């Protein structure tokens, strides 16, 4: 095999829990190497903040309650499902669960009751922690499983909107939350864990959390991310990421923390660096700019569609964004044109701002849920020189570019230098496997530890990688996973649909793919005209909107076809549909 190694010298791999690595008490005044009084997280809207020391003690209290509250009594290794948009409660809950030795599974906060049920069942979660907004969906989910209201309520912990536990404003109690366990109540406990659950030595390879990913094919599966996966990835990222510190930097969090990109880059990585992270519930163009100005944000972690806003939206001119040094993109392809547009807008804008000499670099990283996530990162000094590249391989990782793996383990054929192949990754950040799914795990990790990404890449002569295609069926809408198999399964339950295939079509305007369905009508003769077909397609798209979370809507349209192209083995020939889509206009 032709194995590429990282240009960054190897570093030691820690064998300890995420909590121990990031929140251990070195002395009464220091938490993991930084002053306990340093601010760790800030709620953007209210300015409410928690320090490193507070985070540690709040988490130990939550951890104690999770283990000892009579209505919970969680045991080491139990799983808690977290269903909430970003908030200041996130780091507290996540570290609380980790301190108690529990696993967390994070669900997309836009999920419908059906989508949530899949993850709840599959992860075998014991309790659901939900935001106030998510409560009706969670109740619906339990109702769908045939639980009584009392049985359901016994499994729910509500994260109320107030922040009184952090010295922030309180929210008035909602009547529908009466009788439910709340995070506030967990935090009121007089008890506290004396220390966190340890995961030393081999135990560091135990699962810490379960994000869901469809991988190369099928429905979302639980990705077993271990303590060691996380502590390794943040150490490796730190060596290649633009340096950030407490005194000079602020990170802005708009990415959802339930996605591994958000969880690792917005919760764990800032704590490692000691840099305060300003938390917003979601991306909003005006609030994004307002908070960069208000908090003097230096580093914004984003997905490509945010750059479309930065390139065109008038609100960008309203604010002084001169503190911004780095916009770091990931989770989807980033076009060089878009980077150039934003760079040139900022060049002009900055001349009129309060700190004209501050330079803005737009770089990107690449990775997957299964690789915890980052494997590649473009250093800021290469932002222009290697525009469009996902960057270099991070420390401790190995990569291959495989053109043919039909021969089975050990007989793969690697691409010649400089040519394209499927990117394979090996190293301490590769997941343990898919939860309770040995066959999916065996299909994606070879016996000698290579993880197959399903992405096609090339590596240039300087060791910079470029993603050029995707071999797997996955669609990405604004960085969110849209598993075609899931949408196809739903389409097949439609009474008028005989067959269906879903692919992604590119929208340059929105810098994303859009899910598009190709469907075969059960009685094609009833569709007499183009107008009939169009109306049917529209009705199918509308129908889908009642079934799935927003990011899975069929924004790329529904096209009526006579037959879904399939291989002799019955596999959908997505390549043919993609070629066909290139001929059609994106709707
Ligand atoms: C082209 O999206 C992610 C992880 C994103 C991430 C990770 C580390 C961003 C920045 C960072 O530092 O995970 P998943 O599991 O949701 O989706 C993984 C897939 C990849 O297989 C690839 O197809 O998302 C796509 N992808 C990218 N594609 C992720 N990043 C990129 C990228 N360019 N930069």
């Amino acid at each position: 095999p032709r194995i590429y190694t990282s240009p960054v010298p190897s570093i030691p791999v820690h064998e300890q829990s995420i909590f121990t690595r990031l929140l251990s008490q070195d002395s009464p005044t220091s938490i993991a190497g930084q002053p306990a009084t340093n601010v760790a997280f800030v709620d953007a809207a209210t300015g409410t903040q928690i320090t490193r020391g507070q985070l540690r003690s709040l988490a130990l209290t939550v951890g104690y309650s999770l283990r000892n509250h009579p209505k919970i009594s969680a045991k080491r290794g139990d799983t808690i499902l977290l269903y909430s948009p970003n908030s200041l409660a996130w780091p507290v809950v996540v570290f609380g669960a980790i301190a108690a030795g529990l696993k967390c599974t994070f669900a997309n906060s836009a999920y419908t009751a059906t989508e949530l049920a899949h993850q709840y069942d599959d992860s075998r979660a014991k309790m659901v922690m939900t935001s106030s907004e998510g409560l009706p969906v969670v109740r619906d989910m339990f109702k769908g499983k045939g639980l009584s209201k009392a049985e359901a309520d016994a499994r729910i912990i509500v994260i109320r909107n107030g922040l009184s536990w952090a010295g922030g404003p309180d929210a008035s109690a909602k009547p529908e939350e009466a009788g439910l366990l709340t995070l506030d109540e967990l935090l009121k406990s007089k008890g506290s864990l004396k220390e966190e659950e340890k995961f030393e030595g081999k135990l560091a390879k135990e699962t810490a959390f379960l994000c869901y990913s469809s991988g190369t094919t099928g429905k979302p599966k639980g990705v077993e991310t271990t303590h060691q996966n996380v502590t390794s990835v943040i150490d490796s990222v730190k060596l290649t990421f633009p340096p950030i510190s407490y005194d000079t930097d602020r990170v802005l969090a708009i990415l959802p923390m339930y996605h591994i990109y958000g969880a690792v880059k917005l919760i764990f990585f800032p704590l490692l660096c000691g840099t305060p992270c300003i938390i917003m519930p979601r991306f909003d163009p005006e609030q994004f700019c307002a908070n960069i100005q208000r908090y003097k944000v230096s580093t914004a972690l984003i997905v490509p569609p945010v750059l479309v806003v930065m390139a065109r939206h008038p609100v960008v001119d309203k604010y002084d964004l001169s503190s911004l040094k780095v916009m770091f993109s990931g989770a989807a392809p980033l076009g060089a044109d878009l980077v150039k547009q934003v760079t040139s807008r900022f060049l002009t804008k900055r001349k009129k701002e309060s700190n004209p000499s501050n330079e803005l670099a737009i770089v990107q990283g690449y990775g997957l849920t299964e690789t915890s996530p980052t494997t590649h990162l473009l250093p800021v000094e290469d932002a222009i020189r290697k525009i469009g590249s996902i960057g270099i391989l991070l420390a401790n990782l190995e990569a291959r570019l495989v053109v043919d793996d039909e021969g089975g383990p050990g007989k793969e054929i690697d691409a010649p230098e400089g040519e394209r192949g499927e990117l394979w990754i090996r190293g301490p950040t590769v997941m343990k496997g898919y939860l309770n799914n040995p066959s999916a795990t065996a299909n994606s990790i070879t016996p000698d530890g290579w993880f197959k990404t399903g992405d096609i890449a090339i590596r240039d002569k300087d060791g910079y990688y470029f993603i050029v295609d995707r071999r797997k069926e996955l669609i990405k809408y604004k960085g969110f996973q849209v598993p075609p198999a899931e949408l196809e399964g739903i389409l097949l339950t439609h009474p008028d649909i005989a067959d269906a295939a879903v692919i992604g079509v590119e929208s340059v305007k929105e810098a994303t793919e859009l899910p598009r369905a190709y469907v075969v009508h059960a009685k094609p003769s009833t569709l007499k005209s183009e107008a009939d077909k169009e109306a049917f397609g529209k009705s199918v798209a509308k129908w889908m909107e009642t079934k799935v979370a927003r990011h899975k809507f069929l924004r790329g349209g529904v096209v009526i076809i006579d037959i879904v192209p399939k291989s002799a083995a019955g596999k959908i020939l997505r390549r043919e549909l993609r070629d066909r889509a290139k001929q059609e206009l994106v709707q």
Side-chain angles (χ1 to χ4, degrees):
R2 183 173 282 112
I3 297 175
Y4 300 109
T5 53
S6 171
V8 186
S10 295
I11 48 172
V13 173
H14 290 87
E15 294 187 324
Q16 55 189 184
S17 95
I18 300 169
F19 190 105
T20 310
R21 177 89 178 96
L22 295 173
L23 290 179
S24 59
Q25 179 111 47
D26 321 314
S27 77
T29 57
S30 167
I31 301 287
Q34 313 249 357
T37 49
N38 279 7
V39 173
F41 293 96
V42 182
D43 171 60
T46 62
T48 312
Q49 52 191 44
I50 50 176
T51 64
R52 296 168 76 83
Q54 281 172 312
L55 176 59
R56 178 184 159 88
S57 74
L58 289 166
L60 289 174
T61 306
V62 169
Y64 178 88
S65 294
L66 289 169
R67 292 290 288 259
N68 298 296
H69 193 291
K71 288 190 192 157
I72 309 175
S73 308
K75 311 228 160 14
R76 192 182 196 281
D78 281 350
T79 299
I80 299 259
L81 188 151
L82 184 50
Y83 178 65
S84 168
N86 289 358
S87 74
L88 197 59
W90 259 84
V92 173
V93 168
V94 169
F95 277 104
I98 297 175
L102 310 182
K103 294 181 256 188
C104 270
T105 185
F106 309 146
N108 186 313
S109 59
Y111 267 176
T112 62
T114 319
E115 291 164 326
L116 195 61
H118 169 71
Q119 188 165 337
Y120 177 83
D121 291 341
D122 190 80
S123 66
R124 299 175 195 176
K126 187 181 165 94
M127 303 281 293
V128 178
M129 263 207 196
T130 176
S131 61
S132 290
E133 296 77 35
L135 182 57
V137 182
V138 175
R139 283 202 162 126
D140 255 12
M141 173 193 78
F142 281 126
K143 207 166 159 193
K145 304 168 81 55
L147 267 64
S148 72
K149 181 158 180 297
E151 287 169 325
D153 284 2
R155 290 166 209 211
I156 297 174
I157 303 166
V158 181
I159 303 171
R160 295 182 47 226
N161 287 330
L163 292 172
S164 55
W165 51 267
D170 204 0
S172 52
K174 293 189 178 169
E176 62 272 24
E177 290 164 11
L180 289 173
L181 212 49
T182 62
L183 175 65
D184 299 66
E185 194 177 332
L186 304 196
L187 283 165
K188 270 190 213 123
S189 159
K190 293 269 179 310
S192 172
L193 297 174
K194 280 196 196 61
E195 56 170 23
E196 72 278 15
E197 193 79 20
K198 303 285 184 190
F199 289 82
E200 254 130 51
K202 274 202 202 102
L203 299 181
K205 293 203 165 76
E206 282 194 20
T207 303
F209 51 87
L210 297 153
C211 289
Y212 271 66
S213 165
S214 61
T216 48
T217 181
K219 285 202 176 180
K221 296 173 269 292
V223 173
E224 294 201 73
T225 302
T226 68
H227 288 272
Q228 191 165 79
N229 286 157
V230 172
T231 57
S232 298
V233 84
I234 55 178
D235 282 344
S236 295
V237 165
K238 195 169 177 211
L239 298 177
T240 310
F241 199 84
I244 50 173
S245 75
Y246 186 77
D247 295 326
T248 52
D249 295 279
R250 298 285 177 269
V251 169
L252 187 60
I254 49 129
L255 303 170
M257 291 172 172
Y258 54 75
H259 187 264
I260 191 139
Y261 179 15
V264 169
K265 283 275 168 65
L266 301 175
I267 302 179
F268 305 128
F269 183 63
L271 268 178
L272 178 75
C273 301
T275 312
C277 175
I278 320 295
I279 301 178
M280 290 174 60
R282 65 188 62 81
F283 176 69
D284 167 87
E286 173 114 38
Q287 289 307 315
F288 181 74
C289 295
N291 285 324
I292 292 174
Q293 176 179 300
R294 174 172 176 197
Y295 292 102
K296 301 207 174 356
V297 166
S298 67
T299 311
L301 293 139
I302 56 161
V303 287
V306 172
L307 288 177
V308 175
V309 171
M310 300 313 271
R312 310 217 176 101
H313 204 295
V315 80
V316 173
D317 293 325
K318 249 176 82 181
Y319 294 92
D320 184 324
L321 306 182
S322 61
S323 57
L324 199 58
K325 291 189 292 196
V326 175
M327 278 203 269
F328 182 92
S329 174
L334 177 63
D337 284 345
L338 190 52
V339 174
K340 286 181 196 155
Q341 285 164 23
V342 179
T343 308
S344 90
R345 183 175 191 185
F346 268 77
L347 270 178
T348 316
K349 176 173 164 57
R350 197 129 297 179
K351 289 194 194 114
K352 301 179 219 138
E353 291 185 328
S354 62
N355 188 4
S357 63
N358 206 19
E359 273 179 47
L360 172 71
I362 301 170
V363 289
Q364 64 173 322
Y366 161 91
L368 307 89
T369 308
E370 290 85 343
T371 54
S372 311
T374 315
T375 64
H376 290 74
L377 221 156
L378 184 66
V380 276
E381 49 281 15
D382 300 318
I384 302 295
R385 191 171 71 96
K386 295 289 182 183
I387 196 165
S389 167
I390 56 164
I392 57 171
L393 189 62
L394 295 188
N396 289 1
L397 296 181
E398 297 174 297
R400 288 171 72 178
L401 295 170
V402 175
V403 284
D404 186 349
D405 61 354
E406 295 294 307
K411 304 214 173 60
E412 303 92 1
I413 301 166
D414 294 277
E417 297 256 352
E419 289 184 26
R420 59 168 65 197
E422 182 183 7
L423 178 62
W424 289 16
I425 299 288
R426 187 163 69 179
T429 59
V430 172
M431 64 165 178
K432 194 153 117 183
Y434 293 112
L435 182 72
N436 301 322
N437 201 334
S439 71
T441 305
N443 284 335
S444 65
I445 307 179
T446 68
D448 50 351
W450 289 101
F451 171 74
K452 311 178 184 184
T453 66
D455 293 305
I456 307 294
I458 58 167
R459 177 186 180 275
D460 74 10
K461 56 180 188 340
D462 303 322
Y464 290 75
Y465 291 71
F466 293 79
I467 301 294
V468 292
D469 200 358
R470 204 180 283 151
R471 184 185 173 188
K472 56 188 169 187
E473 65 193 33
L474 179 68
I475 301 167
K476 282 257 159 141
Y477 175 72
K478 299 196 171 177
F480 292 110
Q481 290 201 1
V482 181
E486 194 184 321
L487 296 185
E488 286 155 7
I490 294 170
L491 287 167
L492 290 177
T493 67
H494 189 292
D496 297 326
I497 292 179
D499 204 358
V502 176
I503 60 160
V505 291
E506 198 192 348
S507 162
V508 175
K509 198 173 110 225
E510 293 187 73
T512 184
E513 284 176 281
L514 304 172
R516 171 182 294 177
Y518 286 89
V519 303
V520 180
H521 196 280
K523 294 197 199 75
S525 60
T526 56
L527 299 179
K528 294 201 170 49
S529 62
E530 281 308 307
D532 286 352
K533 286 188 182 174
E534 200 169 299
F536 178 64
K538 288 225 164 80
S539 76
V540 170
K542 269 256 165 307
W543 174 82
M544 187 60 91
E545 291 179 12
T546 66
K547 306 269 173 194
V548 293
R550 292 180 55 81
H551 62 281
K552 297 180 194 163
F553 289 1
L554 295 168
R555 292 168 212 266
V558 177
V559 179
I560 319 302
I561 52 174
D562 297 333
I563 188 166
V564 173
K566 289 189 183 157
S567 70
K571 259 187 86 176
I572 297 171
L573 295 172
R574 293 175 197 281
R575 173 71 49 197
E576 276 189 26
L577 289 173
R578 278 190 212 124
D579 289 344
R580 178 188 167 129
K582 283 194 195 117
Q583 318 297 320
E584 295 161 351
L585 282 177
V586 174
Q587 292 167 2

